[in-house]
Amino acid sequence: MDKKLFRHTTEIRVRNYEVDWQGIVHNAVYLQYFEVGRIEYLKHLKVELNHDVIQSKNKIVLVRNEIDYKVPAHFDDVLRVYTRTAAIRNTSFAMEGILERRSDGAIIAENVAVHVWLDPHTNRPKTVSDDYRKLIQEFEGSACQISWPTYDV
């Protein structure tokens, strides 16, 4: 992944209970770090994130969460979470993340997460809204591959 494509970063400090018996961050915790990055990214873009909206308007589910581990993180490391939207298709969008140790710039892990937009009443996929596509396009520019749906007129 090209770190230059990422326009959003947040930081996380590794806490003692996230470290396993090997003295490194437990593998499942890295997925939580990337989730924090995605939520902070959406908050930065002022996307409304609350229970009411998710239940009545914008239900989004994670359908793929891939991680490549590079080097371990340890207790008290400060990690930078780089987050971006890489692509928007008809009913889904893909987000990417890079986890980097602040002290030495080591890449800890990389992540790809694919989300599907659902109709909250039927739980069936629905088209990602044009408003969301525009919001992402304004923020990401040409770094995000956006497919615009065609509508019958």
Side-chain angles (χ1 to χ4, degrees), residues 3-153:
K3 198 167 68 172
K4 290 179 278 194
L5 295 175
F6 290 75
R7 301 182 58 148
H8 184 268
T9 307
T10 193
E11 289 190 348
I12 296 173
R13 183 178 297 274
V14 175
R15 295 160 293 207
N16 64 317
Y17 56 85
E18 297 169 333
V19 176
D20 66 18
W21 62 272
Q22 297 178 60
I24 60 176
V25 172
H26 187 275
N27 61 58
V29 175
Y30 294 98
L31 293 171
Q32 293 175 5
Y33 294 159
F34 286 116
E35 177 73 9
V36 168
R38 290 191 298 269
I39 294 298
E40 292 303 318
Y41 171 93
L42 294 170
K43 285 180 178 180
H44 176 78
L45 294 178
K46 304 206 182 334
V47 172
E48 192 173 13
L49 297 173
N50 64 57
H51 184 265
D52 292 337
V53 168
I54 291 169
Q55 294 302 313
S56 65
K57 185 178 175 187
N58 297 329
K59 187 172 185 180
I60 299 168
V61 294
L62 183 66
V63 297
R64 176 179 170 212
N65 208 1
E66 179 181 308
I67 190 167
D68 292 324
Y69 301 97
K70 305 294 185 178
V71 299
H74 301 88
F75 169 68
D76 213 32
D77 280 348
V78 176
L79 307 176
R80 289 188 182 115
V81 186
Y82 294 84
T83 306
R84 76 185 202 99
T85 302
I88 301 177
R89 302 289 183 248
N90 188 36
T91 60
S92 65
F93 59 96
M95 297 183 79
E96 294 179 339
I98 297 174
L99 198 59
E100 172 189 79
R101 187 171 23 248
R102 184 176 71 183
S103 64
D104 62 3
I107 302 300
I108 304 296
E110 296 177 341
N111 174 249
V112 175
V114 177
H115 302 78
V116 172
W117 210 289
L118 298 180
D119 179 303
H121 306 292
T122 66
N123 283 326
R124 303 285 305 149
K126 76 175 196 176
T127 303
V128 175
S129 75
D130 287 349
D131 289 342
Y132 188 75
R133 290 173 200 273
K134 290 174 188 172
L135 178 69
I136 299 301
Q137 186 175 47
E138 287 174 12
F139 184 71
E140 296 289 355
S142 63
C144 180
Q145 299 173 354
I146 299 178
S147 301
W148 292 84
T150 56
Y151 300 101
D152 293 331
V153 181

